[in-house]
Amino acid sequence: MDKIVLKNMGFYGYHGDLKSEKSLGQRFFVDVEIKTDLTKAGQSDELEDSINYVEVYNIVNAIMTGESRNLLERLGALIADKLYQHYQGVVGVAVTVRKPSVPIAGMLDYVEVVTTRGQM
């Protein structure tokens, strides 16, 4: 099975459980993996036989820069559900949402949540 992967897409959003996160906003990074059969696209060289990754980016962008959410889990679920339902022939979707600026009194690079639908 083949995959289309978009890595480390960056967005500025107003997500988080704290009022300060919702008012100031912060950076978020998202990875998407879509598992599907790309045999036809590989033979035809036609976009309509594949999944348009520009469209995938636009779907993720709309969610990440849209309505404020409290949890990374919710953002991941919204993206995964939309992609899994939107495209025919998708076997699985994995969405990773990373938040580098977390309100934790400790040292870490980021927190991430991985959400999957289907078979990955």
Side-chain angles (χ1 to χ4, degrees):
M1 194 55 57
D2 307 306
K3 288 183 184 178
I4 292 177
V5 180
L6 286 81
K7 282 280 193 191
N8 214 30
M9 294 176 279
F11 304 98
Y12 199 87
Y14 297 85
H15 311 291
D17 192 49
L18 302 177
K19 286 184 183 180
S20 61
E21 293 176 300
K22 291 185 181 296
S23 64
L24 297 174
Q26 60 191 301
R27 297 173 304 136
F28 295 87
F29 296 94
V30 179
D31 301 337
V32 169
E33 290 188 27
I34 301 171
K35 189 173 179 183
T36 189
D37 185 355
L38 298 172
T39 303
K40 187 174 180 183
Q43 295 170 347
S44 73
D45 199 25
E46 297 293 334
L47 183 57
E48 60 266 8
D49 293 330
S50 188
I51 292 173
N52 184 335
Y53 44 81
V54 173
E55 190 175 80
V56 171
Y57 178 90
N58 290 336
I59 289 169
V60 176
N61 181 58
I63 292 168
M64 293 304 299
T65 61
E67 182 179 341
S68 178
R69 306 295 179 172
N70 293 330
L71 302 176
L72 298 179
E73 292 86 342
R74 179 65 177 149
L75 292 164
L78 288 168
I79 295 166
D81 290 341
K82 177 75 173 181
L83 295 175
Y84 192 66
Q85 295 166 3
H86 186 74
Y87 295 105
Q88 289 186 330
V90 170
V91 174
V93 173
V95 176
T96 303
V97 181
R98 279 185 302 287
K99 181 177 178 178
S101 300
V102 293
I104 295 176
M107 293 178 55
L108 69 150
D109 286 338
Y110 53 82
V111 170
E112 72 180 12
V113 171
V114 179
T115 304
T116 59
R117 299 291 182 266
Q119 299 176 6
M120 290 303 294

